[in-house]
Amino acid sequence: MLWIKNVTVIDPGQGVSGVNDVLVQKDKIVEVGPSFKAKEVLVKLGVTDINEVNQIDGDGKYLFPGLIDVHVHLREPGQEDKEDIASGSRAAIRGGFTSIMAMANTFPIVDQRAVVEFIKLQARRAGMARVYPISAVTKGFKGQELVEMMDIKDGGAVGFSDDGKGIQNAEIMRLALEYVKLTGCPIISHCEDEALASKGVMRRGRTSARLGLPGIPASSESVMVARDILLAAETGGKLHIAHVSTKESVEMIRWAKGKGIDLSAEVNPHHLIFTDEDITLTDTSYKVNPPLPSREDQEALLEGIIDGTIDMLATDHAPHTWEEKARPFQEAPFGINGLETSLAAVWQKLVQSGKLTPEKLVECWSLNPAQRFGIEGGTLKPGSLADMVLFDPLYKEEISTEAMESKSGNTPFLKKELQGFPVITWVEGRMLMKNRKII
Amino acid sequence: MKWKPKDLLDLDNLTTEEIEHILQTAKPMREILSRPIKKLPTLRGKSVVLLFYESSTRTRTSFESAAKILGADTTNFTVAQSSITKGESLLDTAKTIQAMNVDLVVVRHSSSGAADFLADTLKASVINGGDGQHAHPTQALLDLFTIQERIGDIKGKKVVIVGDIIHSRVARSNAIGLQKMGADVTLVGPPTLLPTEMSYLGIKLSHDLDKELPGADVVMALRLQLERQQSGLFPSIREYSKLYGLSVDRIKKTGKQTIVMHPGPMNRGVEIASDLADSVQSVIEKQVTNGVAIRMALIYLLIGGGTGNVVD
Amino acid sequence: MEGTPKNKIMDKDGIRRAVSRISHEIVEKNKGTKDLILIGIRTRGVPLAERIREKILEIEDINLPLGLLDITLYRDDLSTIGVQPVVHETKVPFSIEGKTVILIDDVLFTGRTVRAALDALIDLGRPQKIQLAVLVDRGHRELPIRADYVGKNVPTSSKEIISVCLEEIDNNEEVILLEKSKENNSI
Ligand SMILES: [Zn+2]
């Protein structure tokens, strides 16, 4: 039993935003309300001795519903040198995420129920963040035949995506959006036209021209966003656009929402924090797909979040080993390790600077993901699972591979100091991280 | 002045003074090349590794001669002979080189940034012998040297670079170097090979060669990768050569004794007609000799003396 | 050169007389000017060589070929000095094959400059003879080298520096002895 006192609760799910006390019994939230008295607490929790209640002073700190990350690459099975389900879900807890959705581009690819069940089993063994598997849309990511969506859904998948690769064939995408209606789950689209992206390694523009790096035009994403929106409109299938990174995409999503098309969209923190101009030839930690946007795009993304066009934040946590990243820029793999730095980075760069409210952050990183994917969490309403994050806006930390739970350290924040970190993470009432360390 | 650079990766991080110092140092080197016995004791005991991931006999031999004339020992790591083809990473190759106590590494690589990567990893000095589409600073320096030798001060001279600009490390490094030396540079090519983002250089971009030729003191043709036609970047060699190919007739439009340059190897009849390539206006052969002199100067400057005050 | 002046060794007239005497000795020793070539070692050997050429023109009415030698690339201390010496052009626009080369420098000290100059010369061809003329010989040889013509012998200690100033380069004309105040890297 737990009594958190005087903590600033941010829970847009029940319209709470202010200093409150929070009571937890076993795995559930009992109540959120202003300064309870000890006597009341005994009654509400149904105990006789106040010593049975773990009391935490939340003064100066925030309490968020556990963050939900809908876009994570855990690399297991197959690439456990980069990450595995245990290390990735520990990293999630350390970063304030109580639920994560694991993408299907593993080896083997998650295109059968057995692999989905394996992932769930491994996540249970790890006992950290809840892991929700995402299944492939097409067998072997080949973009040709659909997976057994119903069977896989019954195995525990909450969405379908060939993420890592765009589905090039429009007819397959149309069929997927039709068939997925049986499951009630969304298709998560990694929007990338391979012919336009070609051998590009960063956003095409003046910086790519200067560095002599092959560029990926913004249209490589935007034309696919346009296509998928039209297909979603035509089929009525549920669509989620992963990692939106261009202003044209934002504009089209805004238009589509105006038309009542059933779609949602996410933005990755690195696209809100860095631009193509930050790229240098010698730091491959900035190499990511979709590539870092132009400044104009970045402004449009933020605007999209503020006006609700963009529903979610998602890390696109993509761990790679040091050796793989220690290559010339053109040859290094795409991806940024995000679980343990993203909340702090967004807090410092966007919330502290007043661009984003804490309420919006929680809405985008907890409430909306839970609602869109139909998973538990996202709010601290009485009776909800006690997935919670105690967040200290003053906590400073220099990012180091030693402290990180992830097996990889491919983040542009390495050796840099960030401010604003989760200091306690609870999943279903169990305290799994305290003072930045996994328990 | 002070000489600080440990590496030569591109011209954008060199000051105009440093570029001038390199060009100045190449002059005595040029004199040495005219001697019957071209062998100096200067870098006796120093070792230079030529790490070539792209086959380029001309650039490699130019560096090799330069190093050998200065008395250094050279070791070739070329694609065919080493673990490069067995998929060893550049990092591991770098570690091997480090263990060999090498003084200087010349690297040619198809990835932009490979030279910067090596310079970051190695204690030895690194000269970028061409990395992807990024930079080819020794080519640009030898071009500057050649222009200076032929027409004197570069400042205020009109230079037209024509061809596949976006994919060309030669164009990038030359544009930067020429700008630093005060030239008035114009880049010319079809929109597919000279897209608007090249405006980062802050110089004139044009798609019409004939319009840019009048008044040009120097015209530099770039090598056209013929296979780019297959990826749709230009419709045919015929049309390319009609619009952007240099010839004796076309070069008359400059109204000057313009000098004509080409980094080689040439596609005769495509970007440059044979009559022009072999004319007195062409300095293409001089570029080759000057290439050795420039590379000698750079090798001397990077590993000959210390870094610090330049003393006279 | 850093140091505190101690002693003036030669003034303008002294230098003029020394150059004049060396010029006479060159002609005398070689029994005329046949096959003679003058080569000045950069930097201060060059104006001295020019003066010797003028003097010989005055005495013998012969204008001897004059070359300039830059020895930077032949120095044996390049890898140990912390500075970056500027390389200048060597200008010997005539053959030295079978000729008698008069090598000219301002100061003879350790002998290393002359050693470098000999190597540089020999790379240009095979002269019949090489003779050495210096304005000042200050001793402290580290190599078996001696001068054929010396303007003035000046016994020095290793803590001292000889500074030669010539109008053409320094806008001043004198040879002075200095007390060394700092490590210096010249040879
Ligand atoms: Zn993706």
Side-chain angles (χ1 to χ4, degrees), chain A residues 204-214 281-282 322-323 325-331, chain B residues 90-91 109-114 116-117 120 131-134 166 172 195 197-200:
Chain A
R204 181 171 174 173
R206 290 160 64 98
T207 307
S208 71
R210 175 167 60 79
L211 297 175
L213 290 171
L281 286 172
T282 46
W322 179 80
E323 291 80 5
K325 280 286 195 180
R327 289 183 191 163
F329 197 93
Q330 248 178 292
E331 295 171 15
Chain B
L90 189 55
L91 180 70
H109 201 285
S110 56
S111 293
S112 299
D116 293 81
F117 173 83
D120 252 25
D131 65 323
Q133 300 165 12
H134 172 233
I166 187 73
R172 276 180 180 75
E197 62 259 30
M198 286 305 291
S199 64
Y200 83 87

Side-chain angles (χ1 to χ4, degrees), chain A residues 42-59:
Chain A
L42 292 179
V43 176
K44 288 176 200 282
L45 294 177
V47 287
T48 48
D49 185 356
I50 197 71
N51 290 324
E52 289 177 52
V53 180
N54 181 13
Q55 300 176 45
I56 289 176
D57 180 16
D59 190 31

Side-chain angles (χ1 to χ4, degrees), chain B residues 156-167:
Chain B
K157 295 293 190 308
K158 182 172 178 187
V159 183
V160 172
I161 304 177
V162 55
D164 181 359
I165 307 283
I166 187 73
H167 299 108

Side-chain angles (χ1 to χ4, degrees), chain C residues 68-86:
Chain C
L68 328 178
L69 199 62
D70 186 84
I71 56 113
T72 311
L73 296 172
Y74 292 84
R75 286 172 68 151
D76 60 4
D77 61 346
L78 282 172
S79 55
T80 53
I81 53 176
V83 294
Q84 178 78 255
V86 174

Side-chain angles (χ1 to χ4, degrees), chain B residues 196-261:
Chain B
T196 52
E197 62 259 30
M198 286 305 291
S199 64
Y200 83 87
L201 283 164
I203 55 180
K204 189 174 177 194
L205 311 181
S206 165
H207 304 309
D208 186 346
L209 177 60
D210 292 324
K211 218 174 94 192
E212 304 308 327
L213 285 177
D217 299 285
V218 178
V219 178
M220 186 184 296
L222 301 170
R223 179 178 167 78
L224 184 70
Q225 304 288 143
L226 300 179
E227 59 276 14
R228 298 210 190 279
Q229 191 208 327
Q230 273 109 60
S231 31
L233 286 159
F234 57 94
S236 70
I237 289 170
R238 180 171 162 269
E239 175 148 313
Y240 180 86
S241 144
K242 210 168 142 192
L243 293 173
Y244 302 104
L246 298 180
S247 65
V248 166
D249 265 353
R250 182 168 248 161
I251 210 77
K252 282 180 188 149
K253 293 190 177 153
T254 63
K256 280 192 174 173
Q257 261 309 99
T258 305
I259 64 168
V260 176
M261 310 182 83

Side-chain angles (χ1 to χ4, degrees), chain A residues 120-434:
Chain A
K120 294 202 66 130
L121 176 66
Q122 287 294 75
R124 251 199 318 279
R125 282 179 177 147
M128 287 283 139
R130 279 197 302 280
V131 177
Y132 295 94
I134 300 294
S135 156
V137 176
T138 66
K139 289 176 190 158
F141 273 25
K142 291 207 175 84
Q144 292 162 358
E145 295 169 44
L146 300 183
V147 300
E148 296 169 330
M149 288 188 182
M150 284 305 280
D151 193 33
I152 289 174
K153 188 213 164 183
D154 290 344
V158 296
F160 297 88
S161 182
D162 281 5
D163 182 69
K165 239 169 126 7
I167 294 172
Q168 302 302 300
N169 183 324
E171 170 63 358
I172 295 297
M173 190 61 174
R174 194 188 67 79
L175 291 170
L177 282 163
E178 287 281 18
Y179 194 84
V180 84
K181 289 191 278 186
L182 281 178
T183 68
C185 299
I187 297 280
I188 302 170
S189 180
H190 167 115
C191 290
E192 178 178 6
D193 182 302
E194 285 170 7
L196 285 172
S198 187
K199 293 195 175 78
V201 297
M202 67 174 289
R203 172 60 75 76
R204 181 171 174 173
R206 290 160 64 98
T207 307
S208 71
R210 175 167 60 79
L211 297 175
L213 290 171
I216 301 172
S219 57
S220 158
E221 170 183 308
S222 315
V223 297
M224 289 308 227
V225 170
R227 182 198 74 175
D228 290 352
I229 284 172
L230 296 175
L231 293 174
E234 193 172 276
T235 56
K238 206 169 178 177
L239 176 66
H240 175 78
I241 311 271
H243 41 57
V244 173
S245 74
T246 76
K247 60 178 189 301
E248 291 82 7
S249 298
V250 175
E251 277 166 31
M252 286 183 291
I253 292 165
R254 189 175 287 128
W255 173 84
K257 287 197 163 175
K259 293 276 174 200
I261 295 165
D262 186 2
L263 96 161
S264 56
E266 79 193 29
V267 164
N268 305 146
H270 44 262
H271 291 133
L272 295 170
I273 292 167
F274 303 114
T275 68
D276 60 344
E277 293 167 37
D278 293 311
I279 292 174
T280 60
L281 286 172
T282 46
D283 193 347
T284 58
S285 68
Y286 290 87
K287 182 172 173 181
V288 66
N289 193 24
L292 296 177
S294 71
R295 224 180 290 181
E296 266 188 310
D297 286 317
Q298 190 174 72
E299 279 162 27
L301 294 175
L302 192 62
E303 219 173 284
I305 289 177
I306 290 163
D307 75 7
T309 301
I310 304 290
D311 307 83
M312 297 170 212
L313 288 163
T315 62
D316 195 0
H317 176 76
H320 291 292
T321 62
W322 179 80
E323 291 80 5
E324 291 168 306
K325 280 286 195 180
R327 289 183 191 163
F329 197 93
Q330 248 178 292
E331 295 171 15
F334 291 102
I336 291 178
N337 188 312
L339 282 172
E340 290 169 81
T341 52
S342 288
L343 175 54
V346 168
W347 188 269
Q348 182 175 327
K349 310 278 180 184
L350 301 176
V351 179
Q352 260 179 11
S353 64
K355 291 179 182 162
L356 217 60
T357 61
E359 289 76 14
K360 193 73 190 176
L361 183 145
V362 173
E363 186 193 324
C364 286
W365 234 340
S366 185
L367 180 64
N368 291 348
Q371 288 181 344
R372 181 64 175 167
F373 288 91
I375 61 178
E376 286 192 274
T379 178
L380 301 174
K381 274 183 201 156
S384 316
L385 284 179
D387 293 350
M388 307 180 294
V389 182
L390 188 69
F391 180 85
D392 183 349
L394 300 178
Y395 195 99
K396 286 183 186 171
E397 186 176 300
E398 189 186 285
I399 305 304
S400 72
T401 46
E402 291 74 31
M404 282 168 74
E405 290 290 342
S406 171
K407 286 187 176 182
S408 304
N410 52 311
T411 158
F413 295 111
L414 206 60
K415 298 193 180 121
K416 289 177 191 145
E417 191 185 74
L418 289 174
Q419 185 186 333
F421 283 91
V423 288
I424 303 180
T425 307
W426 293 269
V427 173
E428 297 167 22
R430 285 180 303 134
M431 189 188 283
L432 296 180
M433 186 274 282
K434 191 177 179 190

